[in-house]
């Protein structure tokens, strides 16, 4: 049964601060305010409201659902228009007519600025909607109406000016409430008289939430519109228009919030102070702002006091302020009251360090620095600081954990001695000794979890202080409690990237050629984190391709989660024409990549394809795979070589073994590889596609004879797999094959010039962007109708970095997270924003040009995207094993281990509840999958928790010495529902490094070395 979804009230805040709004509001003429429609007030003219007639017989289930969604759109729009009318009729008009006036006409116009124009826009939309509703059962089209109504510049202008003015309007209302009791009384009476008790603020925030509501409704409509339907492309275009509009307004809201927060902060600082000048600088950007709880601890770790602080992360400094909310409680219920700040301290960003508990030894030099706890009245004696023991609350747990580790080492030695006894003695045997080991191991697990839990929301910052009398520097430790683990991760990540952004190559890193001629990049722009050689200089190899092999490891520390590149490994392949090939594998499990493995192959590597491991559902539904349980269910990397070889390797965490070796038909060079659920497709030099079927439900057998699909005479340079089709390029044409039957369905021309062969195809939403072997344009095609929708000339963007350079060719293309990356033969990278939803990925903005690039063509662009381990988001309730004991009892890993029974005892529960703390990386195998190394736990026949002992192997606390190579952990089914955090990095490969900033200094480096550039974007929370 389909259930109608009503528009949801989400906290979509989309407001901007603009200089134009204040000047526009200043006009006193009401005719000027209505100027958008030449004085015709459509909202005042009575028109029939949209009404759906009785449902006709014989409708399909999808048609019924679409009809219900249309009803939701009609009802939602009617409610929205009524709210706009209430703002004017219940508030604006009475205030304008009231005598004596409690709000001047000028202020009244400023508060309700552009509400009438928004009402007129939606009144016109409602008229058009009525005609569509009337003919719905014959036409069933509504997408084009949204496109026509909301793609007009007038709509963006009206909403932008309303949103720009929203903050100042709320400020005027708040001020009037505080100074004019009659106005406050008027608002209270109007609210009480309304049937739904919605405040004026509640009504005026509705325009800010309108487009997200429309998007949700159109997404529902699109899901229930089959392919080939006349309304489908229109709905996709409508989604694109609405998403673009919402994104622009969201960005304006972010800028407005930034301006407001910095203005509030500036008011609290003396006009003559250096901080005031810094805050008033046009280069100052607010990256993050949040209310955190500052905590002060005593020498024994006891909590002395806590206080709420407002912490501001600017692009080059960190500011902490006291928060003062002043005003009557009854006013705050009608309109949000802004806080007043008193600055406590500020610090330059390079001097701020994040110190996790257990990592103090690397955080600062304790022989030359005295650490003082903020809020304490006395300095820590130098004798105490030299012992590296600064107990600020949770570090006490780390000391306790170290004591347990030492005790375990002693007990292990005792166990070895007991094993040498010749006689039998009561309470002195191997069973008892192993029980000791097990008990200590359990206590350590509990301590680890207490440490892990507390550190999830604890932000410890080391700040520079004033030197003491002897001249020794004083470092001040400040401890904040964040509202949730997401907040902690966000703070550490933004602090880390903000420091990198201050490097010379990122000042600035991007040029934004917008209409206002500003070159300041937006806060979300990628940051160049490192550049490194792809191969050894002695090899002199050319780059071919790269891919990211993700790995999720539970051993990744909490701080490293926020600062490292996306977890996993970067495979880079290349070679030399007429010689052999080479593969380099870099670990990304840290903030700077490091080579962990390299090996030669017989021929240059032209392409790679990453095949993820099949999910448990896929394996369960595959009878062949179910029958062959010995087959490894693991990710694999397929390599296509110049000599026609196809090599299959296991992932790094399983030893990087070569699992299979095959040859393409007629030993043709393998130019591209793509996979679908059923086939592995190889694009070959002679214009054919080799399709390899899956073998035994797991790997594709590249040694078997493939199905050959003839595409044309030119090389198949790129392939694209969609849900039900495979696209193969040959020259300037693209052939569409059915993904199941492998039969050619359609051939279409992607470029009018024959010599412009298709070299890249990238899918996003319902569109495919293509690049070509000649020319500087990229073209967009619809995935369903194959219609050509847009063409963009990249050369117009690159001229900002290389003036006068007209001949530009696109050499690489990649899309991720709403950004289209374009690499050119000049070494320049262009970044273009595209919609992220199911709509058409049309480019609407001018985008950005990177000042960091290569000396030669950008050979490839690769994306490293990983989802961070979901256990970092667990709350303390979720971490309590008692809360999940029924599920935990039923979920055993393949190795046979279960949760330790001792964790269910009352003392453990008490310890777990008290646990608040840290994070660090512990060298412990208790995190690893499989059974415990010292003992094995199995339920007894009676259902008890009797422990079955096995021989002690003496390796309870050992781990690989190389932290870059970790053991692969198994995914946990019960974590799948938790919110995901995506970590994203983009890698470009080419010859050398070049800085295109005319004022920048290019470092001395060889222009011929194969070089990798890595960009990172802030974590997407």
């Amino acid at each position: 049964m389909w259930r109608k979804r009503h528009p949801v009230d989400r906290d979509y805040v989309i407001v901007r601060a603009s200089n134009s709004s204040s000047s526009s509001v200043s006009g006193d003429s009401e005719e000027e305010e209505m100027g958008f429609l030449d004085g015709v007030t459509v909202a005042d003219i009575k028109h029939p409201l949209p009404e759906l007639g009785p449902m006709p017989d014989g409708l399909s289930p999808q048609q019924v659902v679409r009809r219900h969604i249309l009803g939701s759109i009609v009802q939602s729009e009617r409610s929205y228009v009524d709210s706009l009318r209430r703002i004017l009729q219940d508030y604006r008009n009475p205030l304008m007519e009231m005598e004596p006036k409690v709000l001047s006409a000028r202020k009244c116009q400023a508060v309700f600025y552009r509400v009438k124009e928004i009402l007129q826009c939606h009144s016109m939309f409602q008229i058009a909607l009525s005609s569509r509703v009337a003919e719905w059962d014959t036409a069933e089209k509504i997408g084009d109406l949204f496109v026509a109504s909301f793609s007009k510049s007038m709509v963006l202008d009206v909403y932008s000016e309303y949103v720009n003015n929203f903050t100042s309007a709320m400020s005027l209302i708040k001020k009037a409430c505080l100074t004019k009791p009659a106005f406050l009384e008027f608002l209270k009476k109007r609210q009480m008289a309304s049937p739904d008790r919605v405040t004026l603020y509640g009504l005026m925030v509705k325009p800010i939430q309108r487009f997200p509501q429309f998007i949700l409704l159109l997404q529902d409509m699109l899901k229930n519109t089959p392919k080939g339907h006349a309304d489908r492309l229109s709905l996709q275009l409508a989604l694109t228009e609405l998403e673009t509009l919402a994104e622009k307004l969201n960005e304006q809201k972010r800028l407005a919030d930034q301006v407001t927060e910095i203005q509030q902060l500036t008011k609290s600082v003396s006009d003559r102070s250096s901080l005031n000048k810094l805050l008033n600088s046009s280069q100052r950007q607010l990256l993050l702002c949040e209310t955190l709880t500052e905590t002060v601890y005593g020498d024994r770790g006891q909590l002395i006091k806590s206080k709420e602080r407002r912490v501001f992360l600017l692009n080059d400094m960190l500011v902490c302020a006291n928060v003062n909310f002043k005003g009557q409680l009854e006013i705050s219920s009608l309109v949000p009251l802004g806080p007043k700040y008193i600055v406590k301290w500020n610090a330059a960003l390079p001097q701020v360090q994040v110190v996790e508990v257990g990592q103090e030894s690397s955080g600062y030099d304790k022989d030359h620095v005295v650490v003082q706890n903020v809020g304490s009245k006395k300095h820590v004696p130098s004798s105490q600081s030299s012992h590296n023991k600064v107990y600020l609350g949770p570090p006490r747990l780390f000391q306790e954990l170290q004591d347990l580790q030492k005790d375990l080492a002693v007990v292990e030695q005792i166990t070895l001695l007991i094993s040498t006894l010749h006689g039998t003695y009561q309470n002195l045997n191997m069973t008892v000794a192993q029980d000791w080991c097990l008990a200590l191991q359990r206590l350590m697990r509990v301590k680890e979890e207490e440490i892990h839990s507390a550190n999830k929301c604890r932000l410890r910052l080391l700040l520079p202080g004033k030197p003491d009398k002897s001249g020794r520097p004083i470092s001040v430790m400040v401890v904040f409690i964040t509202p949730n683990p997401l907040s902690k991760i966000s703070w550490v990540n933004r602090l880390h990237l903000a420091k990198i952004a201050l490097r010379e190559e990122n000042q600035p890193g991007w040029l934004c050629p917008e209409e206002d001629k500003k070159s300041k990049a937006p806060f979300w722009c990628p940051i160049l984190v490192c550049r490194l050689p792809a191969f050894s200089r002695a090899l002199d190899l050319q780059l071919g391709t790269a891919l990211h092999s993700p790995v999720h490891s539970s051993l990744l520390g909490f701080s490293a989660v926020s600062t490292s590149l996306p977890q996993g490994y970067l495979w880079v392949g290349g070679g030399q024409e007429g010689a052999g090939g080479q593969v380099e594998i870099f670990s990304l499990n840290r903030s700077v990549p490091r080579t962990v493995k390299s090996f030669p192959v017989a021929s240059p590597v032209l392409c790679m394809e990453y095949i993820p491991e099949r999910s448990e559902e896929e394996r369960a539904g595959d009878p062949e795979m179910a029958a062959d349980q010995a087959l490894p269910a693991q990710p694999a990397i397929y390599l296509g070589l110049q000599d026609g070889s196809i090599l299959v390797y296991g992932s790094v965490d399983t030893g990087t073994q070569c699992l299979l070796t095959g040859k393409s038909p007629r030993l043709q060079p393998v130019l591209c590889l793509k996979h679908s659920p059923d086939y592995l497709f190889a694009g070959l030099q002679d214009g054919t596609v080799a399709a390899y079927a899956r073998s035994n439900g797991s790997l594709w057998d590249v040694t078997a004879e493939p199905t050959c699909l003839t595409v044309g005479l030119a090389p198949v340079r790129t392939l694209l797999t969609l849900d039900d089709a495979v696209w193969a390029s040959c020259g300037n044409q693209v052939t569409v094959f059915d993904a199941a039957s492998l039969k050619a369905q359609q051939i279409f021309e992607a470029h009018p010039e024959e010599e412009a062969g298709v070299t890249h195809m990238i899918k996003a939403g319902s569109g495919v962007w293509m690049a070509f072997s000649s020319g500087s344009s990229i073209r967009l095609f619809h995935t369903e109708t194959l219609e050509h929708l847009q063409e963009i000339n990249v050369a117009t963007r690159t001229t900002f970095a290389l003036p006068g350079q007209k001949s530009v060719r696109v050499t690489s293309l990649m899309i991720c997270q709403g950004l289209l990356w374009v690499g050119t033969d000049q070494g320049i990278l262009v970044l273009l924003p595209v919609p992220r939803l199911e709509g058409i990925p049309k480019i609407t903005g001018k985008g950005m040009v990177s000042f960091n690039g290569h000396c030669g063509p950008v050979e490839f662009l690769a994306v490293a995207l990983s989802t961070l381990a979901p256990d970092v988001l667990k709350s303390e309730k979720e971490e309590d094993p008692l809360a999940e004991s029924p599920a935990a009892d039923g979920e055993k890993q393949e190795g046979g281990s279960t949760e330790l029974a001792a964790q269910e005892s009352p003392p453990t529960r008490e310890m777990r509840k008290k646990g608040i703390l840290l994070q660090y990386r512990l060298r412990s195998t208790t995190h690893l999958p499989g059974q415990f190394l010292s003992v094995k736990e199995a339920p007894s026949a009676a259902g008890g928790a009797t422990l079955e002992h096995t021989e002690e192997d003496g390796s309870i606390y050992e781990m690989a010495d190389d932290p870059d190579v970790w053991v692969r952990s198994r995914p946990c089914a019960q974590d799948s529902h938790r919110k995901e955090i995506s970590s994203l990095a983009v890698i470009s490969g080419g010859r050398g490094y070049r800085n295109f900033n005319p004022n920048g200094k290019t470092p001395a480096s060889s222009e011929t070395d194969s070089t990798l550039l890595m960009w990172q974007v802030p974590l997407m929370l």
Side-chain angles (χ1 to χ4, degrees), residues 481-652:
I481 306 297
T482 61
N484 50 59
L486 274 176
S487 172
K488 161 71 182 288
I489 291 174
S490 180
W491 273 100
V492 177
N493 176 252
R494 295 296 174 90
L495 279 164
H496 171 72
L497 291 181
K499 288 184 181 181
I500 296 176
L502 293 176
R503 296 175 184 169
E504 185 180 358
E505 61 265 28
N506 289 314
Q507 289 290 320
W510 296 87
L511 175 66
C512 303
E514 292 294 344
E515 291 81 358
D516 56 7
K517 304 300 180 187
K518 292 180 181 177
S519 62
K520 185 162 59 177
F523 78 108
W524 48 259
C525 73
I527 297 167
L528 183 68
V529 293
C530 64
R531 56 180 184 271
L532 66 158
F535 303 113
S536 169
R537 290 186 178 180
L539 296 175
D540 190 27
L541 301 175
Q542 294 179 350
L543 286 168
T545 183
L547 63 74
H548 176 238
S549 168
V551 171
H552 299 289
S553 174
S554 58
L555 296 177
L556 187 65
F558 196 80
S559 180
V561 160
S562 309
T563 59
S564 71
L565 293 159
Q567 295 179 51
Y569 304 96
L570 178 71
W571 291 56
V572 179
Q576 192 68 41
E577 191 70 34
Q582 182 80 8
V583 174
E584 294 279 334
I585 304 177
F586 297 86
S587 169
L588 302 184
N589 297 326
R590 52 173 63 200
S591 55
V592 178
R594 187 170 73 87
T595 304
V596 293
K597 195 174 183 69
S598 62
F599 56 88
V601 289
S603 180
V605 182
L606 302 182
C607 57
M608 294 184 189
E609 178 76 344
Y610 172 74
I611 314 293
E613 62 182 327
R614 303 185 78 184
S615 65
E616 292 182 9
E617 293 78 7
E618 288 179 317
R619 292 200 294 269
D622 193 324
E624 291 185 10
M625 189 162 188
D628 189 359
Q629 293 297 332
L631 205 64
Q634 63 183 32
I637 291 88
Y638 284 66
L639 276 59
L641 307 188
Q642 177 78 43
D643 65 2
S645 300
I646 299 178
L647 309 180
V648 185
Y649 285 87
S651 56
V652 175

Side-chain angles (χ1 to χ4, degrees), residues 336-576:
L337 295 174
K340 291 187 177 179
Y341 301 128
I342 302 173
V343 173
K344 301 294 291 182
W345 53 260
N346 64 282
L349 215 51
Q351 297 175 321
V352 179
Q353 294 183 57
V354 177
V355 182
E356 298 289 5
V357 180
Q359 295 177 342
E360 282 91 344
S361 58
S362 61
Y364 48 89
D365 184 356
K366 294 192 175 176
D367 292 332
H368 299 92
V369 173
V370 177
V371 175
Q372 179 182 352
N373 186 5
V374 137
S376 61
K377 300 297 183 184
K378 59 182 180 180
H379 292 274
V380 180
S382 58
S383 60
Q384 181 178 335
S385 67
S386 63
H387 287 91
N388 290 354
K389 290 184 179 180
V390 184
Y391 294 122
L392 301 179
R396 167 180 51 84
L397 296 177
F398 182 67
Q399 182 64 41
E400 293 171 1
L401 182 63
Q402 289 180 320
D403 293 341
L404 286 172
Q405 286 176 315
K406 293 174 183 176
D407 292 348
L408 180 62
V410 173
V411 171
E412 284 178 331
Q413 292 176 0
I414 295 172
T415 303
L416 291 174
L417 290 173
I418 291 175
S419 66
T420 63
L421 291 174
H422 295 287
T424 303
Y425 308 96
Q426 186 179 6
N427 295 330
L428 192 60
N429 53 50
M430 284 297 293
T431 301
V432 173
Q434 287 179 342
D435 276 340
W436 294 345
C437 288
L438 178 62
L440 281 170
Q441 186 179 353
R442 288 171 173 168
L443 286 171
M444 291 176 70
R445 283 180 62 105
V446 170
K447 196 63 62 180
E448 286 176 38
E449 289 169 2
E450 288 182 9
I451 285 170
H452 179 69
S453 171
N455 205 53
K456 284 180 178 179
C457 297
R458 195 170 299 270
L459 181 65
R460 302 172 80 237
L461 301 177
L462 198 65
L463 309 173
K466 295 180 180 179
D468 62 8
K469 293 180 180 179
S470 63
R472 295 181 66 193
I474 298 290
S475 284
V476 180
M477 184 75 75
V478 183
V479 183
F480 291 109
I481 306 297
T482 61
N484 50 59
L486 274 176
S487 172
K488 161 71 182 288
I489 291 174
S490 180
W491 273 100
V492 177
N493 176 252
R494 295 296 174 90
L495 279 164
H496 171 72
L497 291 181
K499 288 184 181 181
I500 296 176
L502 293 176
R503 296 175 184 169
E504 185 180 358
E505 61 265 28
N506 289 314
Q507 289 290 320
W510 296 87
L511 175 66
C512 303
E514 292 294 344
E515 291 81 358
D516 56 7
K517 304 300 180 187
K518 292 180 181 177
S519 62
K520 185 162 59 177
F523 78 108
W524 48 259
C525 73
I527 297 167
L528 183 68
V529 293
C530 64
R531 56 180 184 271
L532 66 158
F535 303 113
S536 169
R537 290 186 178 180
L539 296 175
D540 190 27
L541 301 175
Q542 294 179 350
L543 286 168
T545 183
L547 63 74
H548 176 238
S549 168
V551 171
H552 299 289
S553 174
S554 58
L555 296 177
L556 187 65
F558 196 80
S559 180
V561 160
S562 309
T563 59
S564 71
L565 293 159
Q567 295 179 51
Y569 304 96
L570 178 71
W571 291 56
V572 179
Q576 192 68 41

Side-chain angles (χ1 to χ4, degrees), residues 2 4 178 269 347 369 379 396 417 431 483 628 714 758 872 999 1008:
W2 180 86
K4 182 166 68 176
L178 292 170
V269 181
V369 173
H379 292 274
R396 167 180 51 84
L417 290 173
T431 301
D628 189 359
V758 180
V872 300
N999 302 320
T1008 59

Side-chain angles (χ1 to χ4, degrees), residues 798 801-802 822-830 849-850 853-854 856 858 996:
T798 60
L802 282 179
V822 183
T824 68
D825 60 344
Q826 304 295 327
I828 300 174
L829 291 109
V830 179
V849 179
S850 175
H854 296 277
V858 181
F996 292 95

Side-chain angles (χ1 to χ4, degrees), residues 7 64 105-106 114 195 225 247 260 298 347 351 367 393 415 460 520 573 677 693 759 855 866 898 902 954 982 996:
V64 172
R106 184 185 182 85
R114 292 305 185 209
T225 304
E247 283 292 330
T260 304
Q351 297 175 321
D367 292 332
T415 303
R460 302 172 80 237
K520 185 162 59 177
T759 56
C855 300
S866 71
T898 61
S982 296
F996 292 95

Side-chain angles (χ1 to χ4, degrees), residues 5-7 69 72-73 76 210 212-222:
R5 182 164 74 183
H6 292 282
I69 297 169
S72 290
I73 292 172
S76 166
R210 188 61 190 140
Q213 292 169 347
F214 269 151
I215 288 171
L216 289 173
L217 290 165
L218 288 190
Q219 282 179 312
D220 277 351
M221 185 70 86
L222 184 58

Side-chain angles (χ1 to χ4, degrees), residues 831-876:
L831 201 54
L832 300 166
V834 293
R836 303 184 188 207
L837 301 180
E838 309 93 312
I840 306 300
K842 292 176 67 176
I843 294 170
T844 53
K846 290 186 178 295
M848 302 190 295
V849 179
S850 175
F851 278 130
N852 297 293
H854 296 277
C855 300
V858 181
E859 299 292 350
F860 61 74
L861 286 164
V863 61
L865 178 65
S866 71
T867 302
L868 303 186
D871 61 345
V872 300
L873 300 180
K874 289 181 184 176
S875 64
E876 289 186 31

